[in-house]
Amino acid sequence: MSLKAGIIGLPNVGKSTLFNAITKQNILAANYPFATIEPNVGVVEVPDKRVDFLSELYKPKKTIYATFEFTDIAGLVAGASKGEGLGNKFLSHIREVDALCEVVRCFDNSNITHVNGNIDPVRDAQIINLELILADLEVVENRLSRAGKKGKLSGDKETIKEINLLEKIKETLLADKPIRSLEFTEEEDKILKSFNFLTKKPIIYIANVNEEEVNMENNYVKALKDYASEEDASVVVISARIEEELAQLDDEEKALFLQELGINESGLDKLVKKSYDLLGLETYLTAGSDEVRAWTFKKGMKAPECAGIIHTDFEKGFIKAEIMSFEDLKKYGSELKVKEHGKVRLEGKEYVMQDGDICHFRFNV
């Protein structure tokens, strides 16, 4: 289960610089609008100290971290929903992602052109969000135009349900509010799934600041946080330039550099953690001499479903899950000692998987 996030924002806010850094790819990053036209996709390993520990303990042939897929989507501008700045093409790329990471410029630099002439993070965020709202509104209106006629003529209950739901969404969008501000039942979520609405996707705002301001909250960041709080959204403060420098260093050098800056973790680490929280994701682990691996699952999933993430046969033929917690393994130092202390459990089909569970699945197909 790989998480997909779309990096969006106005041109020249630092999207491609950030993408280069976190995916260690050399994508064109230029200080003029539309330097990026086709979306760039990069897959990054999710940093996880538990995987590092298990790899050191088991000395496996392979160590596999969970992955996070980033798509760098070209800069949007006002009028994107109507095709301005090749907007329609760019908006279509966003529909396939799980979450939106909206980069907002929160730094001054006279050498980097701002598409709107001056720095105003709230205005910039509003421009992007309005374009996403307008794009969703167009989808809703087109669907209502077609489904409305069919519903009235046929009296089909399912179509009428869809029409009523879309009417509620239309009203919200016309009030300049995103679809994610509404609450939906499980049945309504199923109806909406195929639409891939842009403003239904969860969002994180990335405040891109200068290197020297990464440890402080400048006025731009404060304004963006106030704006984001209106929809209960998170703001992650990142310096794309620092992330770019970190990408060139090995783990030891990176730790020293962060220490010098007075930072506990990199921007990428912060972004991944926020994204996991936002999407309700957690990690379970498998460990042995052949492979140590992290597996991403949705909070609340039961053991058979989690087994199915490895292979569908594991879910079909699930018998039991042999489980110990990472904390217990770390505390006692070996599987044998964990067993001796009675901390290894056999769990059945109703067991709800927990973050940090180390699992061995028993199955029979």
Side-chain angles (χ1 to χ4, degrees):
M1 184 185 287
S2 178
L3 173 64
K4 294 182 181 179
I7 301 178
I8 63 171
L10 293 171
N12 296 349
V13 295
K15 290 187 294 66
S16 293
T17 301
L18 182 64
F19 178 85
N20 286 348
I22 59 184
T23 62
K24 298 181 184 176
Q25 292 190 32
N26 189 23
I27 305 303
L28 175 63
N31 65 348
Y32 54 88
F34 312 118
T36 314
I37 294 177
E38 289 303 317
N40 299 301
V41 178
V43 178
V44 301
E45 290 180 340
V46 175
D48 194 328
K49 288 178 181 175
R50 297 170 300 186
V51 176
D52 299 338
F53 177 89
L54 293 174
S55 190
E56 191 63 35
L57 183 67
Y58 286 90
K59 306 283 192 251
K61 293 171 188 171
K62 285 192 295 183
T63 298
I64 303 172
Y65 293 81
T67 57
F68 195 136
E69 185 178 296
F70 283 102
T71 303
D72 176 29
I73 295 157
L76 296 165
V77 294
S81 58
K82 302 298 178 189
E84 290 294 325
L86 304 178
N88 282 328
K89 188 177 181 184
F90 298 164
L91 289 168
S92 68
H93 296 145
I94 310 172
R95 294 202 182 276
E96 305 311 313
V97 302
D98 302 309
L100 302 176
C101 296
E102 185 172 327
V103 182
V104 183
R105 181 168 162 179
C106 291
F107 65 89
D108 291 305
N109 188 329
S110 57
N111 294 321
I112 300 176
T113 311
H114 191 289
V115 73
N116 290 320
N118 68 315
I119 313 300
D120 184 339
V122 172
R123 176 206 58 205
D124 293 354
Q126 286 172 333
I127 287 171
I128 296 294
N129 293 339
L130 181 59
E131 292 308 319
L132 302 183
I133 284 169
L134 291 172
D136 280 348
L137 186 58
E138 186 178 5
V139 171
V140 169
E141 287 177 336
N142 287 342
R143 180 59 185 156
L144 281 173
S145 175
R146 294 193 304 273
K149 292 170 187 172
K150 180 185 170 186
K152 284 170 188 173
L153 289 171
S154 67
D156 179 67
K157 286 181 181 177
E158 294 306 310
T159 306
I160 290 168
K161 270 186 203 172
E162 184 184 307
I163 291 167
N164 292 337
L165 180 56
L166 291 176
E167 288 287 5
K168 181 171 79 169
I169 286 171
K170 181 179 176 180
E171 195 176 312
T172 300
L173 293 170
L174 285 171
D176 291 345
K177 290 180 182 175
I179 296 169
R180 61 180 165 270
S181 64
L182 295 169
E183 288 186 12
F184 300 104
T185 64
E186 199 173 317
E187 185 186 9
E188 287 173 333
D189 269 327
K190 281 181 185 173
I191 294 170
L192 296 177
K193 195 172 182 182
S194 63
F195 288 96
N196 267 339
F197 284 123
L198 301 172
T199 67
K200 192 174 185 292
K201 298 178 190 298
I203 191 166
I204 293 174
Y205 293 97
I206 301 173
N208 185 18
V209 300
N210 281 325
E211 297 95 311
E212 60 273 14
E213 293 184 315
V214 74
N215 266 335
M216 63 180 72
E217 197 173 273
N218 67 29
N219 290 332
Y220 296 140
V221 174
K222 285 177 187 171
L224 183 61
K225 283 186 173 180
D226 286 345
Y227 172 75
S229 69
E230 291 173 14
E231 59 168 318
D232 203 24
S234 294
V235 175
V236 177
V237 180
I238 289 179
S239 167
R241 288 296 175 198
I242 287 176
E243 296 302 313
E244 201 171 34
E245 289 178 55
L246 285 169
Q248 312 305 317
L249 306 175
D250 62 31
D251 289 344
E252 196 175 323
E253 291 171 325
K254 193 182 289 184
L256 283 171
F257 185 45
L258 289 172
Q259 196 176 347
E260 284 172 21
L261 293 167
I263 302 171
N264 295 325
E265 57 186 346
S266 72
L268 171 61
D269 290 357
K270 288 193 286 185
L271 181 57
V272 169
K273 282 179 185 174
K274 285 287 185 189
S275 300
Y276 266 58
D277 287 344
L278 189 68
L279 293 167
L281 300 177
E282 293 181 324
T283 304
Y284 76 84
L285 307 145
T286 52
S289 56
D290 283 338
E291 180 184 278
V292 163
R293 184 162 184 166
W295 303 87
T296 304
F297 68 98
K298 279 218 174 253
K299 284 180 189 177
M301 283 176 74
K302 293 182 180 177
E305 293 175 278
C306 287
I309 293 170
I310 298 176
H311 197 286
T312 51
D313 285 349
F314 283 28
E315 183 173 3
K316 286 175 191 169
F318 180 89
I319 300 170
K320 292 281 183 185
E322 187 178 294
I323 292 174
M324 59 180 161
S325 77
F326 172 78
E327 291 306 321
D328 284 337
L329 181 59
K330 189 177 178 183
K331 179 180 176 181
Y332 297 115
S334 74
E335 269 190 56
L336 183 61
K337 293 266 179 70
V338 175
K339 284 178 182 175
E340 285 174 357
H341 284 82
K343 296 292 185 180
V344 175
R345 316 182 308 274
L346 276 179
E347 300 287 1
K349 291 182 178 180
E350 294 305 308
Y351 176 70
V352 177
M353 197 69 78
Q354 301 299 306
D355 187 56
D357 278 348
I358 301 171
C359 310
H360 174 69
F361 294 108
R362 298 181 184 179
F363 70 101
N364 181 29
V365 177

